[in-house]
Amino acid sequence: MPQSARNIVILGSTGSVGTNTLEVIAAAGDRFSVAGLSAHRRLAELTSQAAAWNPRWIIATDRQHAEQFRWSDLPSTTEVLYGEEGIQQAVSHSDVDTVVAAIVGSAGLRGTWTAVEAGKTVALANKETLVMAGPLVMDLARRCGATILPVDSEHSAVFQAMQSGKQDEIRRIILTASGGPFRRHTAAQLAEVTVEQALDHPTWNMGPKITVDSATMMNKALEIIEARWLFGIEPEKIDVVIHPQSIVHSLVEYVDGSVMAQLSPPDMKLPIQYALTYPERTSGPADKLDFATGFGLEFEPPDEHRFPALTLGHEVARVGGTAGAVLNAANEAAVQRFLDHEIRFTEIVPACRAVLGNHNFDSNPSLDQLIQLDAWARQEVTRWVCA
Ligand code: MG
């Protein structure tokens, strides 16, 4: 590998962000080198990725599952590591420059934490890390000299637009939301939404959990919380606007009234690439806007009555402490119950609100406390029944 190549570890390499990251790296010539790849259970896919990329390590995070797996066709120079210790060993290695944190859900917290603690550049696709433990993670990054760069498309857009002015010149940031497949549904129609309908997202192709989050707009609620900690901006200065085309990925309004936006087709490869090449920009494989054919851009305010997740997101961003971890875990468990046909689509947010209301709030929790509350909130949701 060339001396100048940046060594990258991708946590969650078989998921949507992980595979897009490999496409970006493939198109970047010898700029990057794949040092490590991790997967939870998709070990056949992990093996094919290893054969194609010849990484120094692959990490199977579900050790029991990995012990049943017949490893074959691995490059002779690739070492197989297991579990959280495996992640720790790979991401903290001195040869590693950038860690792409793309494990979905709260399972991604520990690996991201380890990468931040090791002072790496972290391309953060796992928004749950900041939702659960935003103040702790940002403080750790400051102490350990880690750089956290957003991969979430909205936060990448805000990050890019923030380079037009100073932090104290920002009046507000405006996160765009596609509105999901049900933005025109009445409250009565929302109550009848099926799993199949919720999994059919109009503009982004993503995994089932985040697709349901997009439909309930809980994804935007989590992104409000993520933005609050990532940019150190007050929740009152974070607004949401519905933008069905998903071309404007978010905006920053400055005190003089100028609004800076970042536009591109909905393609995760662009924010991933920006996080990998920052502060430089390079040509890359992401789709480009075609102004020759013409297109429209629409914006409308969100309806918090039909999409109460947004109200909850602002509340949790305001109170901080343990609330983010509880909301995040409660939502993951509630989405799973919806996917298992146990609760209605419109019961996901009330279930989260109920569990939040029942928890022992602490304004200054430890990481272990947050992880315990994560487990507690999941249990609470399994017991929850609609009043
Ligand atoms: Mg997003």
Side-chain angles (χ1 to χ4, degrees), residues 127 152-155 219-220 223:
K127 70 188 68 178
D152 209 348
S153 59
E154 294 79 0
H155 302 72
N219 184 50
K220 214 49 55 180
E223 287 179 354

Side-chain angles (χ1 to χ4, degrees), residues 5-75:
R6 283 183 72 77
N7 289 319
I8 309 221
V9 171
I10 306 173
L11 302 180
S13 65
T14 58
S16 156
V17 169
T19 53
N20 273 296
T21 303
L22 287 172
E23 280 188 58
V24 168
I25 292 174
D30 54 10
R31 194 179 176 98
F32 305 112
S33 170
V34 176
L37 298 169
S38 93
H40 196 54
R41 292 195 172 172
R42 293 188 199 152
L43 301 182
E45 283 163 79
L46 184 62
T47 304
S48 339
Q49 289 181 341
W53 291 96
N54 198 17
R56 186 155 163 185
W57 312 282
I58 55 173
I59 308 118
T61 50
D62 185 335
R63 183 187 286 272
Q64 280 189 332
H65 191 76
E67 279 164 3
Q68 320 281 317
F69 186 74
R70 252 191 82 238
W71 298 98
S72 57
D73 303 323
L74 278 182

Side-chain angles (χ1 to χ4, degrees), residues 76-97:
S76 59
T77 50
T78 296
E79 184 184 356
V80 184
L81 306 174
Y82 301 94
E84 281 180 1
E85 310 82 67
I87 286 190
Q88 171 121 26
Q89 185 181 334
V91 306
S92 58
H93 196 282
S94 59
D95 287 350
V96 171
D97 301 298

Side-chain angles (χ1 to χ4, degrees), residues 48-371:
S48 339
Q49 289 181 341
W53 291 96
N54 198 17
R56 186 155 163 185
W57 312 282
I58 55 173
I59 308 118
T61 50
D62 185 335
R63 183 187 286 272
Q64 280 189 332
H65 191 76
E67 279 164 3
Q68 320 281 317
F69 186 74
R70 252 191 82 238
W71 298 98
S72 57
D73 303 323
L74 278 182
S76 59
T77 50
T78 296
E79 184 184 356
V80 184
L81 306 174
Y82 301 94
E84 281 180 1
E85 310 82 67
I87 286 190
Q88 171 121 26
Q89 185 181 334
V91 306
S92 58
H93 196 282
S94 59
D95 287 350
V96 171
D97 301 298
T98 297
V99 175
V100 178
I103 292 173
V104 176
S106 62
L109 175 60
R110 286 276 196 199
T112 311
W113 184 271
T114 307
V116 171
E117 205 166 31
K120 304 300 184 188
T121 296
V122 179
L124 186 65
N126 174 268
K127 70 188 68 178
E128 290 83 358
T129 294
L130 290 178
V131 171
M132 290 178 70
L136 292 179
V137 170
M138 297 311 288
D139 179 58
L140 186 71
R142 269 185 296 274
R143 285 189 284 117
C144 300
T147 304
I148 299 178
L149 298 169
V151 167
D152 209 348
S153 59
E154 294 79 0
H155 302 72
S156 177
V158 169
F159 181 57
Q160 294 179 58
M162 280 175 79
Q163 290 162 44
S164 291
K166 304 194 192 81
Q167 178 98 8
D168 63 2
E169 295 166 348
I170 294 171
R171 176 175 285 153
R172 57 179 179 146
I173 68 176
I174 304 149
L175 302 175
T176 53
S178 71
F182 313 128
R183 75 191 160 92
R184 297 269 177 255
H185 274 41
T186 63
Q189 286 171 315
L190 284 172
E192 302 303 323
V193 160
T194 65
V195 169
E196 292 67 34
Q197 290 166 342
L199 290 179
D200 189 18
H201 191 277
T203 49
W204 291 98
N205 184 11
M206 310 168 291
K209 193 264 178 183
I210 192 169
T211 304
V212 174
D213 283 352
S214 173
T216 57
M217 296 198 71
M218 184 61 86
N219 184 50
K220 214 49 55 180
L222 300 179
E223 287 179 354
I224 291 169
I225 303 163
E226 180 185 8
R228 190 257 173 281
W229 303 119
L230 182 64
F231 302 121
I233 194 155
E234 301 89 327
E236 301 75 42
K237 292 186 177 175
I238 306 172
D239 285 343
V240 172
V241 67
I242 304 291
H243 168 51
Q245 291 80 18
S246 300
I247 286 175
V248 175
H249 296 297
S250 280
L251 315 97
V252 174
E253 182 182 321
Y254 288 92
V255 286
D256 60 0
S258 270
V259 177
M260 309 303 290
Q262 186 265 329
L263 287 72
S264 55
D267 182 343
M268 283 308 293
K269 288 192 284 293
L270 184 52
I272 290 167
Q273 176 175 307
Y274 190 64
L276 294 183
T277 63
Y278 176 82
E280 290 169 34
R281 291 182 185 273
T282 59
S283 66
D287 293 344
K288 310 295 184 288
L289 279 181
D290 180 8
F291 288 92
T293 52
F295 54 88
L297 299 174
E298 298 164 88
F299 299 93
E300 63 186 50
D303 179 353
E304 298 204 7
H305 182 67
R306 284 183 301 131
F307 295 98
L310 292 175
T311 315
L312 201 52
H314 267 115
E315 286 173 23
V316 169
R318 249 191 312 277
V319 300
T322 47
V326 171
L327 173 63
N328 179 66
N331 178 57
E332 280 188 32
V335 168
Q336 192 54 55
R337 286 195 69 186
F338 167 67
L339 292 173
D340 293 341
H341 305 274
E342 289 178 14
I343 63 173
R344 285 172 185 267
F345 180 77
T346 43
E347 289 173 346
I348 294 173
V349 175
C352 294
R353 186 174 278 288
V355 172
L356 262 171
N358 280 342
H359 96 280
N360 270 329
F361 178 76
D362 185 332
S363 62
N364 192 18
S366 68
L367 184 66
D368 285 339
Q369 212 177 330
L370 294 177
I371 288 168

